[in-house]
Amino acid sequence: MFRFNLFAATVSPDCIVHISSAIFNCSAPNLAACPDEALPEFAFIGRSNVGKSSLLNALTGKESLARTSPTPGFTRLMNFFTINRRWRLVDLPGYGFAQGARKDAARFNRAVANYLRHRPNLSLVFALIDSGLPPQEIDLEFIEWLTAHAVPFVLVFTKTDRVSAENVQANIADFMERISKWFEKSPAVFTCSAKTGEGRRELLAVIDETLTAIEAESGSDAPEEETPALTVNERARANRKRRPDLNRPW
Ligand SMILES: Nc1nc2c(ncn2[C@@H]2O[C@H](COP(=O)(O)OP(=O)(O)OP(=O)(O)O)[C@@H](O)[C@H]2O)c(=O)[nH]1
Ligand SMILES: [Mg+2]
């Protein structure tokens, strides 16, 4: 059996970002409508209904910040939330759900693909997979796409409260085995439940580590709000170099 390590085991409990403010920023139908590129962004992506919006709420501790629904395909725009005035969480529309005749066209949302490929301040993607299911072709295809386009991501297996721990582990092992051929070093793996809060601490620690790496790379520990001399465009230019290599899983 393919062996993998849950990243959770290596995260220091002290290394956790404290969320003091979480504010809805805007909704964007396409890349051009996204907000300025000044702040590092962490985006949630995955199949419709996998729990992206719910996980965003669980991380911020604000139950109704992002709107959730049992109906697949609920989030249709890219939703931006500014956290601690320093970074953003981005709730993306899911893939794999389409109504009517436009099924193929909507398999992957073009706006989301553009965002993932071309957003310079996208620091890390949380690629969400349902922990209760064996590997799904569309998820494998999507992870291959992320890899091919060099998008930095970690894997997050969701809704662990709904399945036995054995089932979760078996599904993760199968998934990792299917994707192992694309990597020299496998991507980091997390489990989470928006219901029980499992994984919250570990995912916040990853954000913390990524922000620290970004600040170290830009040669300053100073938070964004303490560098008002930079214009938005200057900060956006600096952000183009802000995808830290340490989070690239390949
Ligand atoms: N039991 C359980 N249910 C969850 C969990 N996360 C989400 N759900 C439920 O799953 C459904 C979908 O959750 P959303 O967060 O709206 O999923 P999404 O990925 O944002 O869906 P789209 O916006 O349609 O792509 C909702 O009914 C949630 O209550 C979880 O960790 N455990
Ligand atoms: Mg959603």
Side-chain angles (χ1 to χ4, degrees):
M1 187 200 266
F2 181 80
R3 295 190 67 78
F4 63 93
N5 292 317
L6 286 187
F7 189 83
T10 67
V11 168
S12 155
D14 302 330
C15 182
I16 182 165
V17 66
H18 172 69
I19 296 191
S20 52
S21 67
I23 296 162
F24 172 69
N25 206 199
C26 67
S27 295
N30 54 44
L31 190 59
C34 291
D36 70 69
E37 298 163 355
L39 302 180
E41 288 173 354
F42 298 83
F44 297 84
I45 184 69
R47 219 147 34 84
S48 291
N49 213 238
V50 70
K52 300 174 292 295
S53 305
S54 302
L55 180 58
L56 189 148
N57 291 343
L59 287 192
T60 57
K62 290 194 169 192
E63 246 178 50
S64 45
L65 187 61
R67 293 179 64 205
T68 67
S69 165
T71 310
F74 189 72
T75 305
R76 287 169 182 266
L77 298 169
M78 300 185 281
N79 295 313
F80 293 80
F81 302 86
T82 300
I83 313 296
N84 296 354
R85 296 167 58 205
R86 281 183 56 205
W87 46 280
R88 294 194 189 106
L89 292 175
V90 186
D91 188 19
L92 297 172
Y95 54 77
F97 175 78
Q99 279 174 320
R102 300 192 59 210
K103 241 182 182 154
D104 285 337
R107 194 165 163 85
F108 291 123
N109 178 315
R110 184 182 291 271
V112 173
N114 280 337
Y115 171 85
L116 293 171
R117 286 186 66 186
H118 303 301
R119 184 77 168 159
N121 53 325
L122 174 59
S123 300
L124 187 64
V125 169
F126 294 114
L128 273 54
I129 313 282
D130 190 328
S131 70
L133 299 175
Q136 304 288 297
E137 286 307 321
I138 195 163
D139 288 329
L140 295 165
E141 199 181 305
F142 183 71
I143 296 304
E144 189 175 19
W145 185 92
L146 282 181
T147 308
H149 290 92
V151 179
F153 71 94
V154 296
L155 291 170
V156 184
F157 288 83
T158 63
K159 304 190 184 182
T160 53
D161 60 283
R162 301 215 302 197
V163 207
S164 73
E166 294 73 31
N167 249 330
V168 169
Q169 293 308 312
N171 289 334
I172 295 177
D174 287 350
F175 195 91
M176 298 311 285
E177 185 153 21
R178 293 285 300 273
I179 69 170
S180 63
K181 56 181 177 287
W182 302 327
F183 305 97
E184 274 178 32
K185 186 171 171 268
S186 295
V189 175
F190 298 85
T191 53
C192 78
S193 162
K195 275 247 160 78
T196 66
E198 180 190 335
R200 178 178 187 271
R201 172 170 286 271
E202 289 77 12
L203 292 173
L204 288 175
V206 170
I207 290 173
D208 204 27
E209 283 173 13
T210 307
L211 291 171
T212 303
I214 288 169
E215 281 165 8
E217 272 180 17
S218 65
S220 162
D221 287 331
E224 292 285 332
E225 57 264 36
E226 288 178 18
T227 53
L230 291 182
T231 65
V232 165
N233 279 344
E234 283 166 339
R235 283 206 266 167
R237 266 199 299 282
N239 260 316
R240 291 211 165 86
K241 292 182 267 172
R242 282 188 168 202
R243 296 188 184 191
D245 286 342
L246 73 103
N247 285 298
R248 289 180 185 268
W250 48 88

